[in-house]
């Protein structure tokens, strides 16, 4: 006499014949952060095939793949959170609380100084802002992805911009043979996810990734006066040895090329 198992395996999703690949660029804009988060959520639902996007995938027989993300300031913060959610299989919608409540200007304002300590900004970026960003990533960790017809996230590249306060001086020789010093303030942080091989978003094997990503979010959004400058150092991230940080950094710094006119 045989018995039938009551345990059902999850349904196998059909393989689709094509891919719609998306490169998403998000700008900054202070109060537009909430709007940008809403746009980011739509792209998240598109990848996961939720709601109308499941029908679109069925009608077009296509996967929706978001494999390149780029952002600056508010767009950079949302881009980092979206990339983290996609690469780790988390529910991106859970981070909405960061903008609805934690971004309240009354909470961001730095407490009055007693006059003896150096104040670098109006807003408390080192304390309150950093801790709330880390909390947003941990909220994502506790929220598994919800997808009706998810597309695989096998590869993803995230580019986040920042500004080097002191700049970098580069010497060039023009057509007349004169030496010209060009000062470049641009910086680009390039983070990669390669499923099964490597990921700069893997906080499971390295808890310090959350601290690093929160700091990167501060770097891209700290305009002078409002937020304090961010100092990048491998040695001050707890749980990460400087040697390993250099070998497989969770924040790869890449200098943007200087363009000159002919």
């Amino acid at each position: 006499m045989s018995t039938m198992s009551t345990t059902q395996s999850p349904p196998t999703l059909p393989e689709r014949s094509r891919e719609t690949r998306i490169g998403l660029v998000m700008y900054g804009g202070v109060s537009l952060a909430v709007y940008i988060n809403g746009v980011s959520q739509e792209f998240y639902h598109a990848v996961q095939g939720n709601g109308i996007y499941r029908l679109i995938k069925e009608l077009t027989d296509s996967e929706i793949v978001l494999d390149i993300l780029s952002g600056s300031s508010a767009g950079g913060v949302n881009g980092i959170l979206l990339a983290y959610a996609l690469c780790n299989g988390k529910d991106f919608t859970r981070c909405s609380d960061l903008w609805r409540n934690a971004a309240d200007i009354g909470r961001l304002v730095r407490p009055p100084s007693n006059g003896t300590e150096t104040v670098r900004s109006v807003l408390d970026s080192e304390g309150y802002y950093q801790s709330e960003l880390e909390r947003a990533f941990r909220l994502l960790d506790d929220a598994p992805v919800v997808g009706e017809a998810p597309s695989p996230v096998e590869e993803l590249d995230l580019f986040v911009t920042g500004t080097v306060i002191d700049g970098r001086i580069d010497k060039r020789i023009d057509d007349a043979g004169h030496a010209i010093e060009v000062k470049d303030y641009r910086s680009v942080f390039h983070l990669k996810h390669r499923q099964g091989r490597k990921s700069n978003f893997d906080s499971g094997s390295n808890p310090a990734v959350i601290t690093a990503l929160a700091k990167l979010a501060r770097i891209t959004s700290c305009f002078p006066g409002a937020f304090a400058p961010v100092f990048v150092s491998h040695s001050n991230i707890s749980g990460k040895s400087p040697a390993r940080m250099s070998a497989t950094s969770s924040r790869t710094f890449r200098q943007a090329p200087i363009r000159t006119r002919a």
Side-chain angles (χ1 to χ4, degrees):
M1 184 178 189
S2 62
T3 58
M4 182 178 295
S5 173
T6 57
T7 303
Q8 296 182 351
S9 59
T12 302
L13 296 176
E15 292 186 4
R16 306 190 189 278
S17 63
R18 66 185 71 182
E19 287 182 342
T20 299
R21 307 183 74 87
I22 299 172
L24 178 60
V25 179
M26 296 185 286
Y27 296 91
V30 190
S31 60
L32 290 177
V34 179
Y35 166 81
I36 297 171
N37 180 258
V39 172
S40 302
Q41 288 196 32
E42 284 302 308
F43 280 95
Y44 166 78
H45 288 304
V47 174
Q48 300 303 329
N50 295 333
I52 189 62
Y53 298 108
R54 179 171 186 170
L55 178 60
I56 292 174
K57 287 184 176 183
E58 293 293 336
L59 292 176
T60 61
D61 192 29
S62 300
E63 299 286 5
I64 300 178
V65 178
L66 179 59
D67 58 357
I68 296 179
L69 268 166
S70 178
S72 176
S73 193
V77 177
N78 279 296
I80 296 168
L81 289 165
L82 177 57
Y84 184 85
L86 290 174
C87 295
N88 291 295
K90 305 301 180 181
D91 183 5
F92 175 70
T93 62
R94 289 291 300 274
C95 69
S96 299
D97 182 67
L98 176 69
W99 304 112
R100 291 174 180 166
N101 299 314
D104 188 320
I105 191 66
R107 299 183 182 184
L108 278 167
V109 170
R110 189 184 297 275
S113 171
N114 58 15
T116 60
E117 59 183 21
T118 302
V119 177
R120 292 183 175 145
S121 63
V122 175
L123 306 181
D124 184 12
S125 50
E126 311 98 309
Y128 177 78
Y129 189 29
Q130 173 77 25
S131 62
E132 287 300 314
L133 286 167
E134 292 183 18
R135 189 175 73 87
F137 286 108
R138 294 191 174 96
L139 281 175
L140 291 177
D141 279 341
D142 295 333
V145 67
V146 178
E148 297 175 19
S151 295
V153 183
E154 298 176 349
E155 294 187 0
L156 188 145
D157 288 83
L158 171 68
F159 299 88
V160 180
T161 63
T163 303
V164 180
I165 294 178
D166 297 327
R168 296 181 298 275
I169 296 177
D170 186 70
K171 290 186 178 181
R172 298 292 175 89
I173 305 298
D174 65 11
D175 294 339
H178 301 135
I180 300 175
E181 289 188 349
V182 180
K183 204 166 189 179
D184 184 20
Y185 296 90
R186 296 172 295 172
S187 62
V188 178
F189 293 82
H190 183 190
L191 285 75
K192 301 178 182 180
H193 168 76
R194 303 293 183 264
Q195 189 178 53
R197 290 187 286 139
K198 66 180 224 179
S199 178
N200 295 145
F201 304 94
D202 184 9
S203 61
S205 59
N206 178 20
V209 165
I210 287 180
T211 303
L213 292 178
K215 198 167 188 179
L216 178 58
R218 285 175 51 207
I219 288 173
T220 192
S221 59
C222 64
F223 53 89
F227 293 101
V230 180
F231 298 92
V232 177
S233 172
H234 291 172
S235 60
N236 63 1
I237 299 179
S238 59
K240 188 74 172 177
S241 68
R244 186 177 176 188
M245 194 70 173
S246 299
T248 55
S249 173
S250 63
R251 296 162 297 128
T252 302
F253 174 77
R254 194 175 81 175
Q255 180 175 342
I258 299 175
R259 301 179 185 273
T260 58
R261 292 184 180 179

